[in-house]
């Protein structure tokens, strides 16, 4: 995570603009391709020209020498860099450094008893993830879907360090959602440790983190090749927990297009019910 420590940590806006600029080709913005081009993506002066600002001013933004760009300037640059609305919101947050104060250490994340009861009452795989993508609560069907959905597991760590978990989550999408989720709070010690650990352990994470993609939490159809019940086409839904904006209730549920998913879930539930007494007996005898 060398690109977000030390001096670079104080220039997150510049880091972000540089990373996104490298992902936009001249053809994307109507400029002719140049076979002699020595830079990846757009040149700084091209971004400045298309955004209607001076090349020197854009250079100062990337270098962190101007910390107070106007919203209009950032919106113009966002249009050139093809940023969507969540990415523009992220840019505006990164630029608001003058209003940021150092955050106090966060207390340990927990779910309320009411939310824990809700998770266990849902007759589908369900769990709650927190600010750092830790699993804070999960029900037996979630554990039957994946052992890495147990309480205390970190989803980013599971996805990038355990290849089997990529059937549940798209790795690049997870990183983009994580960036959106934590916003400008990248100086949080827990985030620094987690990003540092994964950057050292996973080339895939390091490459995805360097893209600076930003996405809101979203669900959709997923295909899960479960070792016990076979391929399952499910819907993935993510709901904000009403008492904690940093927490998401995540539920896997069958699609109307593939009603056989209900039978597969019922089979998974029965297998889970059969193994639970054995696990309890083993726990009592140890």
């Amino acid at each position: 995570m060398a690109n977000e420590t030390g001096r670079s940590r104080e220039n997150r806006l510049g880091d972000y603009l540089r990373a996104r600029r490298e992902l936009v080709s001249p053809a994307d913005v109507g400029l002719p391709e140049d076979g002699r081009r020595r830079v990846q993506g757009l040149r700084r002066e091209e971004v400045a020209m298309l955004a209607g600002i001076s090349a020197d001013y854009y250079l100062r933004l990337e270098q962190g020498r101007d910390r107070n760009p106007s919203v209009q300037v950032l919106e113009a640059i966002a249009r050139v860099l093809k940023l969507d609305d969540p990415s523009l919101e992220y840019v505006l947050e990164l630029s608001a450094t003058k209003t940021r104060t150092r955050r106090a250490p966060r207390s340990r994340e927990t779910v309320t008893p009411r939310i824990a009861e809700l998770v266990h009452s849902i007759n589908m795989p369900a769990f709650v993830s927190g600010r750092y993508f830790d699993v804070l609560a999960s029900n037996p069907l979630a554990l039957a879907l994946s052992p890495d959905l147990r309480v205390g597991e970190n989803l980013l760590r599971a996805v990038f360090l355990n290849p089997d978990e990529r059937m549940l989550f798209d790795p690049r999408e997870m990183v983009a959602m994580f960036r959106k989720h934590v916003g400008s709070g990248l100086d949080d010690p827990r985030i620094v440790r987690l990003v540092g650990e994964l950057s050292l352990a996973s080339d895939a994470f390091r490459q995805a983190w360097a893209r600076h993609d930003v996405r809101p939490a979203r669900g959709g159809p997923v295909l899960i090749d479960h070792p016990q019940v076979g391929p399952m086409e499910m819907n993935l839904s993510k709901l904000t927990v009403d008492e904690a904006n940093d927490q998401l209730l995540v539920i896997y549920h069958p699609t109307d297009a593939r009603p056989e998913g209900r039978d597969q879930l019922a089979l998974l539930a029965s297998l889970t019910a059969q193994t639970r007494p054995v696990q309890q007996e083993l726990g009592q005898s140890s």
Side-chain angles (χ1 to χ4, degrees):
M1 85 174 258
N3 66 331
E4 294 206 23
T5 58
R7 180 190 60 81
S8 182
R9 184 181 300 169
E10 302 304 321
N11 186 25
R12 295 197 185 102
L13 177 61
D15 290 343
Y16 183 80
L17 295 178
R18 187 180 308 109
R20 302 311 301 178
R21 173 170 60 82
E22 292 175 353
L23 297 176
V24 181
S25 72
D28 292 334
V29 293
L31 294 176
E33 295 282 358
D34 183 354
R36 296 170 298 173
R37 182 174 291 266
R38 299 175 60 184
V39 299
Q40 183 177 349
L42 295 177
R43 299 184 177 100
R44 291 190 184 95
E45 57 269 23
E46 291 170 336
V47 175
M49 176 190 68
L50 293 169
I53 60 178
S54 73
D56 180 66
Y57 181 64
Y58 181 78
L59 176 62
R60 294 203 307 271
L61 284 179
E62 275 204 7
Q63 293 180 340
R65 293 187 288 122
D66 190 308
R67 304 300 181 92
N68 298 292
S70 69
V71 173
Q72 291 78 11
V73 165
L74 292 176
E75 288 177 339
I77 294 173
R79 285 194 295 271
V80 176
L81 299 183
K82 307 295 183 182
L83 302 185
D84 55 17
D85 289 343
S87 299
L88 174 57
E89 292 174 9
Y90 183 72
V91 166
L92 295 175
E93 185 176 355
L94 291 180
S95 70
T97 53
K98 63 181 179 181
T99 62
R100 289 201 308 141
T101 57
R102 189 170 184 82
R103 291 175 171 83
R106 290 178 176 264
S107 58
R108 180 174 175 269
E109 286 187 291
T110 59
V111 297
T112 64
R114 179 173 62 84
I115 296 300
E117 291 173 3
L118 172 63
V119 170
H120 283 272
S121 72
I122 298 173
N123 195 29
M124 288 172 282
F127 66 94
V128 174
S129 66
R131 171 175 172 77
Y132 308 104
F133 284 18
D134 295 325
V135 178
L136 305 180
S138 61
N139 63 15
L141 269 177
L143 291 174
L145 200 62
S146 168
D148 281 333
L149 294 181
R150 61 186 178 273
V151 173
E153 182 61 73
N154 180 267
L155 297 178
L156 275 179
R157 188 180 287 116
V159 166
F160 283 96
L161 302 186
N162 182 358
D164 292 340
E165 290 314 303
R166 296 180 188 182
M167 69 174 182
L168 295 181
F169 306 101
D170 178 81
R172 183 180 289 182
E173 187 84 358
M174 284 283 288
V175 172
M177 288 191 295
F178 185 68
R179 272 199 181 273
K180 173 64 177 173
H181 201 55
V182 302
S184 62
L186 294 172
D187 54 354
D188 184 313
R190 172 72 195 284
I191 295 173
V192 172
R193 289 195 300 271
L194 181 60
V195 172
E197 173 195 353
L198 293 176
S199 295
L200 291 174
S202 168
D203 289 339
F205 176 85
R206 186 165 56 252
Q207 292 166 9
W209 188 253
R211 287 177 57 88
H212 288 248
D213 289 330
V214 178
R215 298 282 185 275
R218 59 187 180 186
V222 294
L223 180 62
I224 301 170
D225 190 6
H226 195 274
Q228 290 178 289
V229 299
M232 306 168 64
E233 187 171 322
M234 309 289 287
N235 271 323
L236 173 63
S237 295
K238 301 179 181 182
L239 310 171
T240 302
V241 175
D242 54 3
E243 295 176 349
N245 290 332
D246 283 344
Q247 296 179 8
L248 291 174
L249 172 62
V250 183
I251 306 172
Y252 290 90
H253 50 102
T255 68
D256 290 337
R258 299 291 296 271
E260 62 269 23
R262 301 182 189 279
D263 295 332
Q264 290 174 298
L265 270 184
L267 175 58
L268 190 60
S270 67
L271 294 173
T272 302
Q274 292 170 15
T275 59
R276 205 177 306 158
V278 174
Q279 291 170 346
Q280 291 173 349
E281 290 175 10
L282 289 173
Q284 292 169 357
S285 63
S286 60

